[in-house]
């Protein structure tokens, strides 16, 4: 475990294709916990989004994994346009979890995509967790964008035979009345996923209001997520929405799971496809919330 850096937005070096009006966003001071320890505000709602963005690549058919193979490892104007479209959606939410964002490598034009999306969408706080690096070609990362200042952000590597998976945990508000949000991208193999889900369950045990979001690579209904439901206050969703593949969704492998006591007002998949996964969104109500920035 390590303490992840939580960043106020800073202006990234944007490629020429970026929209100029989006870049000059006033910098916020780095979150040091002061804002997050103020008294919680009255009951309100939060909108959450989770999205596997495939480093900005757009895939609309299975065959494109092969026919567009070079676009997976090379930058291009299509990726930038895709990120700009995603930023329009991100701007409608309070907390956003990203998976397969690129933290700055050849395939993204050495752009930190989490930072860029935070800036373009006007999100005051962002953090990323690079997990797997392939030379200078790719740096896969989890990301978290937020309108609220966190008390702390922690970076956990997940167990697995092949390293390169992680969980990014952020805590908001006072301990008793706060919110814990964990963003994760789990392995493809069921044995590795089982170990990772056990690890996540241990991390989330005994916490108050909790959200687990990300590409968990396992469907609900199904036995795998029971490992988490049995050991935490997280509840099975009333409706598991299919998100993969984005062009004909059949599998509900992307999830936003909330603990008992959090009221889910709405759960939906925005129709825009930004990668091979559809985004997943919820609107939820907490009894008490940390203050918004």
């Amino acid at each position: 475990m390590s303490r992840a850096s939580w960043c106020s937005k800073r202006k990234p070096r944007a490629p020429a294709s970026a929209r100029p009006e989006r870049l000059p966003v006033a910098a916020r001071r780095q979150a040091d916990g002061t804002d997050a320890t103020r008294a919680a505000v009255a009951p309100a709602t939060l909108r959450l989004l989770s999205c596997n963005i495939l480093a900005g690549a757009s895939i609309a058919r299975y065959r494109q994994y092969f026919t567009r193979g070079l676009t997976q490892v090379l930058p291009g104007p299509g990726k930038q346009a895709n990120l700009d479209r995603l930023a329009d959606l991100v701007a409608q939410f309070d907390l956003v979890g990203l998976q397969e964002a690129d933290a700055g490598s050849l395939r993204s034009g050495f752009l930190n995509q989490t930072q860029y999306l935070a800036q373009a969408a006007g999100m005051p706080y962002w953090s990323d967790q690079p997990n797997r690096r392939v030379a200078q070609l790719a740096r896969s990362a989890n990301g978290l964008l937020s309108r609220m200042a966190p008390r702390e952000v922690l970076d956990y590597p997940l167990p697995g035979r092949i390293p390169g998976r992680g969980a990014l945990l952020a805590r908001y508000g006072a301990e008793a009345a706060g919110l814990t949000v964990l963003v994760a991208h789990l392995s493809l193999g069921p044995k590795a996923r089982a170990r990772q889900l056990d690890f996540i369950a241990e991390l989330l045990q005994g916490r108050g209001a909790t959200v687990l979001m990300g590409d968990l690579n396992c469907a609900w209904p199904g036995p795998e997520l029971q490992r988490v439901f049995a050991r935490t206050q997280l509840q099975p969703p009333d409706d598991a929405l299919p998100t993969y593949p984005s062009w004909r969704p059949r599998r509900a492998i992307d999830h936003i799971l909330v603990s008992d006591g959090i009221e889910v007002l709405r759960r939906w998949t925005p129709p825009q496809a930004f990668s091979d996964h559809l985004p997943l969104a919820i609107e939820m109500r907490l009894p008490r919330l940390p203050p918004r920035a």
Side-chain angles (χ1 to χ4, degrees):
M1 179 199 73
S2 62
R3 186 175 297 273
S5 60
W6 185 268
C7 306
S8 57
K9 288 202 313 300
R10 297 183 298 273
K11 181 175 177 180
R13 289 175 296 176
S17 58
R19 301 183 208 174
E21 68 274 16
R22 282 188 168 169
L23 298 181
V25 179
R28 296 289 189 90
R29 68 177 178 79
Q30 184 159 326
D32 59 6
T34 304
D35 289 347
T37 55
R38 294 177 188 165
V41 300
T45 60
L46 286 176
R47 289 163 61 92
L48 279 66
L49 182 76
S50 179
C51 189
N52 181 324
I53 69 171
L54 198 62
S58 178
I59 298 290
R61 295 287 186 275
Y62 281 116
R63 64 175 178 269
Q64 290 179 357
Y65 286 113
F66 305 98
T67 61
R68 295 187 179 181
L70 281 178
T71 67
Q72 304 293 318
V73 295
L74 294 176
K79 287 185 178 180
Q80 189 63 47
N82 205 25
L83 288 179
D84 286 340
R85 290 192 306 116
L86 177 57
D88 289 337
L89 177 66
V90 165
Q92 303 171 34
F93 290 84
D94 300 298
L95 282 167
V96 177
L98 303 175
Q99 306 89 51
E100 289 201 49
D102 195 86
S105 69
L106 178 64
R107 66 176 176 173
S108 65
F110 298 96
L111 180 73
N112 185 314
Q113 294 177 332
T114 302
Q115 180 183 5
Y116 181 83
L117 286 169
Q119 175 130 13
M123 298 291 267
Y125 303 98
W126 64 273
S127 186
D128 68 345
Q129 179 196 35
N131 292 309
R132 181 174 296 164
R133 183 169 189 160
V134 182
Q136 294 294 315
L137 295 178
R139 289 188 72 200
S140 293
N142 293 325
L144 182 63
L145 317 178
S146 177
R147 298 198 182 280
M148 302 172 296
R151 291 193 67 186
E152 67 175 351
V153 183
L154 300 173
D155 174 344
Y156 294 92
L158 289 175
R161 185 175 60 85
I162 301 174
R165 303 283 180 171
L168 187 61
L169 185 148
R171 292 176 55 240
Y172 297 88
E175 189 70 33
L179 173 67
T180 297
V181 177
L182 189 146
V183 179
H185 185 193
L186 303 190
S187 294
L188 295 174
K191 290 184 178 179
R193 278 200 306 272
R195 293 179 61 195
Q196 291 162 1
L197 288 166
D198 287 343
F199 181 86
I200 287 171
E202 185 174 348
L203 281 181
L204 298 182
Q205 275 182 337
R207 296 185 182 269
T210 305
V211 174
L212 169 61
M213 61 196 304
D215 177 0
L216 304 187
N217 269 315
C218 52
W220 179 258
E224 290 186 86
L225 289 177
Q226 289 287 6
R227 308 177 81 93
V228 174
F229 299 142
R231 297 173 55 189
T232 70
Q233 295 298 310
L234 292 171
Q235 301 296 304
D238 293 332
D239 49 350
L241 303 178
T243 55
Y244 182 84
S246 58
W247 54 91
R248 191 177 297 173
R250 295 188 182 93
R251 302 181 63 202
I253 60 174
D254 297 274
H255 302 279
I256 304 178
L257 305 174
V258 305
S259 60
D260 189 26
I262 296 177
E263 181 184 4
V264 176
L265 305 174
R266 182 186 174 201
R267 189 186 307 270
W268 75 101
T269 53
Q272 305 98 316
F274 303 98
S275 71
D276 54 349
H277 291 243
L278 285 178
L280 180 65
I282 71 168
E283 186 172 15
M284 71 182 198
R285 179 180 288 126
L286 286 170
R288 302 178 69 193
L289 289 176
R292 298 176 187 231

